[in-house]
Amino acid sequence: MPEKTMSSYRAAIVGGGPAGLMAADILSQAGVQVDVYDTMPSVGRKFLLAGIGGMNITHSEPLERFNTRYGDREPDMTRLLADFGPNDLCDWIHGLGIETFVGSSGRIFPTDMKAAPLLRAWLSRLREQGVHLHVRHRWMGWMPDGALCFTTPAGEQTRLADVTILALGGGSWARLGSDGAWVPWLHQRGVKVKPLQPANCGFDVNWTPHFGGRFAGEPLKTVALRVAGSGTTFKAGEFVITATGVEGSLIYAFSAQLRDTILMNGWVDIEVDLMPGWTQARLEKELSHPRGSRSLSSHMQSRIGLKGVKAGLLRECLAQEDFNNPARLAYAIKALPLRLHAIRPLDEAISSAGGVAFEAMDEQLMLRALPGVFCAGEMLDWEAPTGGYLLTGCFASGRVAGLGALSWLQAGVVA
């Protein structure tokens, strides 16, 4: 009987985002026949949308610090990132002919800031390597014989493969294909899946109609934030006022802690430093100057430069008598209390927490309950703030799953 070659094996990858395409890249380079199935009309939809405001691909901070961004899953993600961390990802992008640069915040972007050229170059290489892309193929689980079942414009179709990689995303942005519909199918096969929850999400605040209507969409720049009572220091950044509450990068940096506290207590308090560059003593001194006939708004603007949405937020949160006391006002400017009472819906979130538990997989991300089936990307149980950490984690996990699938085939497990 002739010995099998890698080209005699077929891999099915369900999900055409960064994790799935990275797995396809690994397997196709080794000569495996690769089919990628995606429910959308084209692959990489969420990847492209995430890059509309500037494609933040990864971050330049030291790897030891980078790894801490994954919270409770730091040990698992550190393992995945060990052979394909931020520097490796940048080298890989450069290999596609796309140059990168480091922004002032340490975030790394393609030189033209766009996702589309990177995706086009990558898809061109994948096609040259023989990868077949099947769009408008919605995965519906397994048939009794183990074949993958898809609904397509041509009706229901089934596909048998020697190895399968699931890279279906989490539960956010359902309109782009990540709707979490895969959860019950894995549950039915004995796979432990933790409930999907919003991550990098907004939160609701009980704004007055006046404030919410006037300042919705306004960014709070050059501020700092901490969770009240946590004993932690303030973290600098910016966030945005919405009609219902708050969102944005600084909120996302705390979203896991804020979400978990709300789920436990029904609310969480944060403190906002509206002027991180000023001490409380300096603010009190400036605010104590006589203002004469000027309004308090004009006085604050002229003495400390506080105006617009920051002044509006002060008025929203403080009692009138606090404005007449420079000490109280200065204290509030440095630690303005704000209560968040609800988490915005999962579908609005940038990403999701929860998913396939790491203990349900081996070190190569193969499901223990389903030999020959691997998982990668956001459908795994990890989360991270924005800043390139999400994409780097997806690329790295896709690579590990791809290499794991390749090892599975090379070991001759499939007859």
Side-chain angles (χ1 to χ4, degrees):
M1 184 175 179
E3 183 180 346
K4 278 193 171 183
T5 62
M6 295 311 295
S7 61
S8 65
Y9 290 114
R10 185 173 291 277
I13 297 174
V14 188
L21 294 179
M22 179 58 78
D25 208 344
I26 295 294
L27 287 162
S28 60
Q29 285 184 46
V32 178
Q33 299 179 64
V34 178
D35 293 280
V36 176
Y37 302 92
D38 197 275
T39 190
M40 301 303 291
S42 58
V43 299
R45 285 292 182 97
K46 190 173 181 180
F47 179 74
L48 290 173
L49 186 59
I52 285 180
M55 183 74 261
N56 177 203
I57 200 76
T58 191
H59 203 286
S60 63
E61 66 188 356
L63 187 59
E64 294 77 12
R65 176 63 176 160
F66 189 99
N67 291 341
T68 66
R69 305 298 187 176
Y70 298 95
D72 293 342
R73 286 302 181 185
E74 179 182 348
D76 300 295
M77 296 305 294
T78 296
R79 176 174 55 80
L80 298 184
L81 293 164
D83 294 322
F84 199 74
N87 292 336
D88 304 296
L89 177 55
C90 288
D91 290 341
W92 177 84
I93 291 171
H94 299 159
L96 288 172
I98 305 295
E99 294 303 313
T100 59
F101 74 96
V102 181
S104 58
S105 64
R107 299 183 180 199
I108 297 177
F109 304 85
T111 302
D112 63 3
M113 298 289 287
K114 297 177 181 178
L118 193 162
L119 183 61
R120 281 197 301 268
W122 194 9
L123 292 178
S124 176
R125 185 169 78 183
L126 290 174
R127 291 188 179 100
E128 289 176 1
Q129 292 170 187
V131 173
H132 298 281
L133 303 177
H134 308 269
V135 296
R136 295 188 174 92
H137 279 59
R138 183 176 182 81
W139 185 55
M140 302 300 291
W142 288 275
M143 300 297 288
D145 64 354
L148 299 166
C149 180
F150 298 93
T151 57
T152 77
E156 185 176 289
Q157 297 183 8
T158 60
R159 295 287 188 273
L160 281 169
D162 297 301
V163 69
T164 299
I165 297 176
L166 303 178
L168 291 151
S172 64
W173 295 12
R175 67 190 183 280
L176 299 179
S178 298
D179 58 7
W182 51 268
V183 172
W185 299 323
L186 292 189
H187 272 309
Q188 291 166 11
R189 294 291 181 121
V191 178
K192 182 179 180 181
V193 181
K194 296 187 178 180
L196 297 177
Q197 302 181 88
N200 291 297
C201 55
F203 297 87
D204 286 341
V205 180
N206 285 324
W207 299 136
T208 60
H210 170 75
F211 180 82
R214 180 176 179 184
F215 292 105
E218 289 286 331
L220 275 162
K221 296 186 176 182
T222 319
V223 296
L225 185 151
R226 70 181 175 190
V227 178
S230 64
T232 57
T233 58
F234 281 93
K235 179 180 178 63
E238 63 180 75
F239 64 94
V240 177
I241 300 296
T242 70
T244 61
V246 292
E247 65 179 19
S249 58
L250 188 54
I251 296 295
Y252 302 155
F254 290 90
S255 65
Q257 184 179 1
L258 298 176
R259 178 196 65 228
D260 293 347
T261 304
I262 289 176
L263 291 174
M264 182 184 303
N265 299 332
W267 52 268
V268 62
D269 290 333
I270 61 174
E271 294 175 339
V272 182
D273 184 348
L274 295 173
M275 300 190 68
W278 289 57
T279 64
Q280 185 176 330
R282 182 185 174 194
L283 286 168
E284 184 176 345
K285 178 181 178 181
E286 292 296 328
L287 292 168
S288 296
H289 278 272
R291 60 185 174 95
S293 61
R294 288 185 304 182
S295 68
L296 181 58
S297 296
S298 296
H299 183 60
M300 287 194 298
Q301 181 174 344
S302 64
R303 299 305 308 187
I304 63 175
L306 195 145
K307 59 183 179 177
V309 63
K310 291 185 177 181
L313 188 59
L314 274 177
R315 293 196 176 278
E316 178 74 3
C317 299
L318 295 184
Q320 184 58 46
E321 55 265 27
D322 292 328
F323 285 93
N324 299 322
N325 185 317
R328 288 184 191 174
L329 184 55
Y331 179 84
I333 290 171
K334 294 299 293 179
L336 186 66
L338 200 59
R339 175 159 292 187
L340 316 181
H341 66 87
I343 310 160
R344 294 302 300 167
L346 173 59
D347 192 46
E348 294 181 11
I350 288 179
S351 59
S352 57
V356 178
F358 274 87
E359 54 266 34
M361 302 174 288
D362 66 14
E363 290 193 350
Q364 294 183 311
L365 302 183
M366 184 172 73
L367 293 172
R368 300 184 189 278
L370 296 171
V373 179
F374 296 75
C375 293
E378 199 181 329
M379 69 182 294
L380 306 186
D381 177 30
W382 62 279
E383 62 180 307
T386 56
Y389 310 105
L390 291 167
L391 274 177
T392 306
C394 286
F395 279 110
S397 64
R399 176 180 169 82
V400 169
L403 290 171
L406 186 59
S407 295
W408 170 264
L409 295 174
Q410 289 171 334
V413 175
V414 179

